[in-house]
Amino acid sequence: MKRYYYELLDEDYNSYEAAFIPDGRIKSRAIAQAKRVMKDLGIRRALLEVNSMRTSNILDIIPVELD
């Protein structure tokens, strides 16, 4: 059962719709997928927002930066 979903945001909290990551069971996979999307879109820094599927609450915001 999916409990979380991740959403990639810019530094002004605007969503990158193309980077919706539906299953949040493994955070490292979500971060890796976010980095792939960031590379494809030419984004150096972004935020990965962790949301609850049950309550739609924001649970965490993870800063992501490409090397």
Side-chain angles (χ1 to χ4, degrees), residues 28-46:
S28 62
R29 284 188 186 174
I31 292 171
Q33 184 174 346
K35 286 184 176 184
R36 284 191 298 273
V37 170
M38 289 168 62
K39 185 176 179 181
D40 290 345
L41 295 174
I43 303 164
R44 286 211 32 86
R45 295 184 342 184

Side-chain angles (χ1 to χ4, degrees), residues 21-59:
I21 303 166
D23 192 357
R25 283 182 266 173
I26 302 174
K27 184 165 58 171
S28 62
R29 284 188 186 174
I31 292 171
Q33 184 174 346
K35 286 184 176 184
R36 284 191 298 273
V37 170
M38 289 168 62
K39 185 176 179 181
D40 290 345
L41 295 174
I43 303 164
R44 286 211 32 86
R45 295 184 342 184
L47 303 169
L48 191 60
E49 181 180 272
V50 184
N51 297 286
S52 169
M53 295 286 272
R54 297 174 100 192
T55 63
S56 298
N57 290 340
I58 298 171
L59 302 175

